[in-house]
Amino acid sequence: EPEVTQTPSHQVTQMGQEVILRCVPISNHLYFYWYRQILGQKVEFLVSFYNNEISEKSEIFDDQFSVERPDGSNFTLKIRSTKLEDSAMYFCASSEGQATNEKLFFGSGTQLSVL
Amino acid sequence: GQSLEQPSEVTAVEGAIVQINCTYQTSGFYGLSWYQQHDGGAPTFLSYNALDGLEETGRFSSFLSRSDSYGYLLLQELQMKDSASYFCAVPISGGYQKVTFGTGTKLQVIP
């Protein structure tokens, strides 16, 4: 079965540094998402992306965050200046159609640790 | 705003049946999804109910009552590998693409 791939699986960074988390969605999917999960807590929506623009973002997704689809396959999440509270597991997801009708396929995540 | 409430933990015996409830409050409701997440793993889709009633997929069934803003996931013939967290989720649209997840229920299956 096709899958969403994320790299790296673990990322350790110093507070204030920039990080880029990378994702390769399933090839025929058109909708892309970033979620995060702090250990032991629920999966929180960050942003959705369709047709090369942000469709929806949460209050967590402030000016320090940005997303990009630099080519036909990659989808990235950039955190410009990391904070301690950004430490979490970040999941990329994709869906073939609109989220109302389609299931989301999640990648295995990037564990971000901000020191 | 939206909220989806679930019990935080459930313990059940191997071979038994367990029901995980979800009550939701949301605008623009389209349906209720369920996802499974093993410790350290990614959420994986289990089921989706757009209409009232029961949907069955093997050992798992999911139920929705739109009038009660309530749904549940039913797991039958529990196996040890079913120990995981289970999240209900609500997609909204209308120009937006966002799936909001519930608080999650950690299921422990014991021998």
Side-chain angles (χ1 to χ4, degrees):
Chain A
E1 182 172 274
E3 58 181 26
V4 176
T5 57
Q6 290 186 242
T7 55
S9 56
H10 292 83
Q11 175 86 51
V12 180
T13 190
Q14 295 290 324
M15 189 171 56
Q17 296 296 303
E18 174 184 286
V19 294
I20 297 177
L21 310 183
R22 302 180 191 280
C23 170
V24 179
I26 294 172
S27 61
N28 64 330
H29 285 189
L30 300 177
Y31 297 82
F32 314 118
Y33 315 82
W34 283 101
Y35 283 80
R36 79 173 188 188
Q37 186 177 34
I38 295 169
L39 186 65
Q41 298 186 23
K42 71 174 184 178
V43 180
E44 297 179 291
F45 172 81
L46 291 178
V47 66
S48 57
F49 192 87
Y50 169 70
N51 200 26
N52 283 318
E53 60 183 27
I54 290 173
S55 304
E56 176 79 21
K57 60 183 180 180
S58 72
E59 60 278 4
I60 302 169
F61 195 88
D62 61 21
D63 293 345
Q64 294 300 312
F65 291 85
S66 62
V67 290
E68 190 178 34
R69 188 155 164 81
D71 53 44
S73 59
N74 290 284
F75 179 52
T76 62
L77 174 70
K78 181 193 291 186
I79 308 175
R80 203 181 332 275
S81 176
T82 50
K83 303 188 281 282
L84 294 176
E85 54 264 37
D86 293 328
S87 295
M89 179 72 88
Y90 288 80
F91 291 106
C92 173
S94 68
S95 63
E96 187 173 356
Q98 294 190 45
T100 48
N101 302 316
E102 300 286 336
K103 64 182 181 181
L104 303 187
F105 290 80
F106 283 82
S108 54
T110 295
Q111 180 65 56
L112 176 65
S113 298
V114 182
L115 306 179
Chain B
Q2 299 146 76
S3 68
L4 296 96
E5 297 296 326
Q6 303 177 235
S8 58
E9 294 181 358
V10 173
T11 300
V13 177
E14 190 177 14
I17 299 172
V18 72
Q19 178 174 312
I20 298 173
N21 298 321
C22 173
T23 56
Y24 60 86
Q25 187 174 6
T26 183
S27 58
F29 180 80
Y30 285 82
L32 190 70
S33 301
W34 288 92
Y35 286 79
Q36 179 191 59
Q37 185 183 32
H38 287 99
D39 282 348
T44 55
F45 174 85
L46 291 175
S47 67
Y48 176 66
N49 293 65
L51 303 174
D52 284 0
L54 194 68
E55 295 277 345
E56 297 183 54
T57 309
R59 293 188 298 113
F60 293 3
S61 303
S62 56
F63 172 83
L64 175 65
S65 169
R66 295 170 74 115
S67 59
D68 295 323
S69 298
Y70 164 77
Y72 65 73
L73 180 69
L74 193 72
L75 295 82
Q76 301 182 73
E77 300 172 20
L78 279 174
Q79 302 175 9
M80 299 300 289
K81 67 178 183 179
D82 296 330
S83 294
S85 292
Y86 292 84
F87 294 90
C88 57
V90 175
I92 66 168
S93 186
Y96 303 97
Q97 294 296 327
K98 175 178 178 179
V99 177
T100 298
F101 282 73
T103 51
T105 299
K106 190 169 179 66
L107 171 65
Q108 183 181 14
V109 180
I110 58 176

